Amino acid sequence: MAVLLVVVDGLSDRPVDGKTPLSEARKSNLDFLAERGINGIMDTIAPGIRPGSDTSHLALLGYDPYRYYSGRGPIEAAGVGIEVKPGDVAFRANFATVEGEGSVFDKTVVDRRAGRIEDTSALIEAIREKVKLPVEFLVERGTGHRAAVVFRGEGLSDKVSDTDPKVVGKKVKRCIPLEEDEKAKRMAEIVNEFMQQVHEVLEKHPLNKERAEKGLLKANALLLRGAGEMPHVPKFEEKTGLKLCVIAATALIKGVGKIVGADVITPEGATGNKNTNLDSKVETAVKVLDSYDVVLLHIKATDELGHDGDFEGKKAFIEKLDAKIAPLLELDFSKHCLILTADHSTPVKVKDHTADPVPVVIVHEDVRRDEVRTFSEFEAYKGGLCRIRGMDLLNIALDLLNIAKKFGA
């Protein structure tokens, strides 16, 4: 008995001239699942709350995000391979290009992604070797321009501001305490010292001299955001008695998996963008179903295309995904429960996450099949699941598999 939870990031939309990429896509396999299962709409957190991918995935795995979420930093850090411990303060980071005279805080951000630099390994190593702080720090590269930074020691706090101005043309921000607290003040001082030392190391690095000679933007600063202190999060297996596997390429989702104690797999060719190897991802999900009780398969590209406002691109990727999920239709639905849904809506007309409920379909031989025949935002609300919360989803699936625990006598 196993649950396969397929989460298509940012899948659903608000209508554009009465249409959405999902409603317009040719998707015979998704429609087959809608016809075979029970459908509904879902608020991954709560009605009217715009979910992040991190908070929504916590909810989908049965964790109350209001209790267990303390910021994106710790999750991102876990996702890039740092063993984040309770009490650590973690930040997301971007390698960026800054220009001007004076300290790093006098300089203007001209590119928040350093020309979308691909390999920052040498820069990371230089930071590790040459930056000296009164506390321990760990820094690890993510994909492309991304990185994560963790500060570890006594007397630290996550109640500090970002150094990332979030837009180009503005100066690097000083980190300031957000509370009148000695720990927050000390943390801000440490972050600002880190920022300055990192800038000095990167500005002189041979890789940046080489980039400048080639007419490429230097990666001469780190911009930090999303400070969070790692909370105590019970492991999924301790909490539920079930083994969990997360299949993902995106650092954030891998991080969610790691902090809840899942086995995390990144299949060959999985990239987290529209060029990801969907065959490899689906094949891996089917292969590991017999070894786990719950398998979460994450697909990212629909979210990116929503953020880009690319209606046709999102529609085309949904059609590509539809073809690639064909092996899932051959699962034994007497012992496997397949759920297909999204973590949030990323409408192309908004180019950001919204609180619009997402469509969800659950396929198992024991579901009370409804009259929905098409998988879309416009049809899902007619289904028998009605409107549910993200935290309810796994409970419904486990009950269908008859492995849920009884509440009461």
Side-chain angles (χ1 to χ4, degrees):
M1 298 291 185
V3 178
L4 175 56
L5 172 57
V6 182
V7 182
V8 187
D9 206 309
L11 173 66
S12 47
D13 279 70
R14 292 177 179 176
V16 178
D17 296 328
K19 303 173 182 178
T20 69
L22 181 59
S23 70
E24 286 295 289
R26 296 185 300 273
K27 52 183 191 313
S28 58
N29 290 328
L30 289 172
D31 291 345
F32 174 84
L33 294 177
E35 183 175 356
R36 182 79 182 267
I38 185 169
N39 299 264
I41 57 175
M42 179 175 66
D43 302 290
T44 43
I45 304 224
I49 303 299
R50 291 189 170 194
S53 290
D54 41 16
T55 51
S56 56
H57 275 79
L58 283 170
L60 291 173
L61 291 173
Y63 291 83
D64 182 351
Y66 289 105
R67 180 177 179 184
Y68 294 111
Y69 183 69
S70 66
R72 186 160 174 168
I75 298 175
E76 195 90 20
V80 299
I82 299 175
E83 185 181 351
V84 190
K85 300 178 180 180
D88 287 352
V89 177
F91 291 80
R92 302 170 65 199
N94 275 17
F95 279 91
T97 307
V98 299
E99 293 180 354
E101 301 298 326
S103 76
V104 67
F105 303 107
D106 297 316
K107 296 187 178 181
T108 300
V109 177
V110 297
D111 192 309
R112 293 181 61 248
R113 299 175 179 84
R116 291 197 177 272
I117 188 171
E118 286 295 324
D119 188 355
T120 60
S121 301
L123 302 178
I124 291 281
E125 193 58 38
I127 293 170
R128 289 172 179 159
E129 290 179 2
K130 297 181 179 180
V131 172
K132 306 299 179 186
L133 298 175
V135 297
E136 182 182 357
F137 74 90
L138 302 96
V139 60
E140 189 64 62
R141 63 173 292 203
T143 55
H145 60 276
R146 299 176 185 87
V149 180
V150 171
F151 297 95
R152 178 174 293 163
E154 297 295 324
L156 302 182
S157 169
D158 63 346
K159 302 302 187 289
V160 293
S161 67
D162 299 343
T163 65
D164 185 352
K166 306 290 191 346
V167 294
V168 299
K170 291 192 175 183
K171 290 183 178 180
V172 177
K173 298 173 74 172
R174 284 188 180 273
C175 182
I176 61 172
L178 300 179
E179 292 183 351
E180 288 298 320
D181 174 84
E182 289 304 315
K183 289 183 177 181
K185 291 178 183 178
R186 180 171 184 255
M187 185 79 251
E189 290 172 359
I190 290 170
V191 169
N192 289 332
E193 178 62 24
F194 175 79
M195 289 286 299
Q196 180 60 32
Q197 287 193 40
V198 166
H199 174 56
E200 292 171 1
V201 169
L202 296 180
E203 184 65 38
K204 300 173 184 176
H205 197 280
L207 176 61
N208 276 323
K209 291 182 179 180
E210 181 183 323
R211 287 179 66 83
E213 290 169 359
K214 292 179 178 178
L216 300 174
L217 292 173
K218 295 180 181 179
N220 61 354
L222 273 181
L223 303 178
L224 306 186
R225 64 191 188 280
E229 185 173 334
M230 185 67 187
H232 172 70
V233 180
K235 302 306 182 188
F236 188 84
E237 190 164 359
E238 296 171 5
K239 184 171 175 285
T240 65
L242 304 172
K243 290 183 64 178
L244 171 66
C245 176
V246 171
I247 300 170
T250 306
L252 184 66
I253 308 308
K254 289 160 62 172
V256 171
K258 288 181 179 179
I259 70 169
V260 302
D263 288 340
V264 177
I265 300 174
T266 302
E268 183 177 356
T271 61
N273 60 37
K274 64 183 180 181
N275 298 316
T276 194
N277 188 332
L278 290 171
D279 289 319
S280 179
K281 281 188 142 182
V282 171
E283 180 183 341
T284 301
V286 173
K287 183 178 180 180
V288 303
L289 264 183
D290 289 337
S291 302
Y292 294 91
D293 302 297
V294 179
V295 176
L296 189 156
L297 171 60
H298 176 256
I299 309 293
K300 174 66 175 174
T302 37
D303 180 59
E304 289 191 345
L305 293 161
H307 281 290
D308 291 342
D310 187 351
F311 187 106
E312 291 300 323
K314 190 171 182 180
K315 173 187 167 186
F317 185 83
I318 291 169
E319 292 178 345
K320 177 181 177 181
L321 173 64
D322 183 76
K324 299 300 184 181
I325 64 166
L328 303 186
L329 277 57
E330 304 302 319
L331 293 176
D332 181 351
F333 292 117
S334 67
K335 69 173 186 175
H336 293 139
C337 181
L338 172 63
I339 305 171
L340 194 140
T341 188
D343 53 347
H344 53 75
S345 296
T346 309
V348 295
K349 69 186 298 182
V350 180
K351 299 183 182 180
D352 204 350
H353 300 188
T354 66
D356 299 275
V358 301
V360 55
V361 59
I362 301 177
V363 186
H364 183 267
E365 71 170 11
D366 289 340
V367 298
R368 298 169 181 170
R369 292 167 62 177
D370 51 42
E371 296 181 2
V372 175
R373 298 293 178 263
T374 302
F375 189 72
S376 80
E377 303 93 338
F378 302 120
E379 296 298 317
Y381 80 94
K382 301 175 184 177
L385 273 179
C386 301
R387 189 167 184 163
I388 63 172
R389 302 180 309 159
M391 286 184 60
D392 298 327
L393 192 59
L394 271 185
N395 287 336
I396 294 170
L398 296 177
D399 178 59
L400 282 167
L401 293 173
N402 293 316
I403 54 177
K405 296 178 181 178
K406 184 165 62 173
F407 179 61

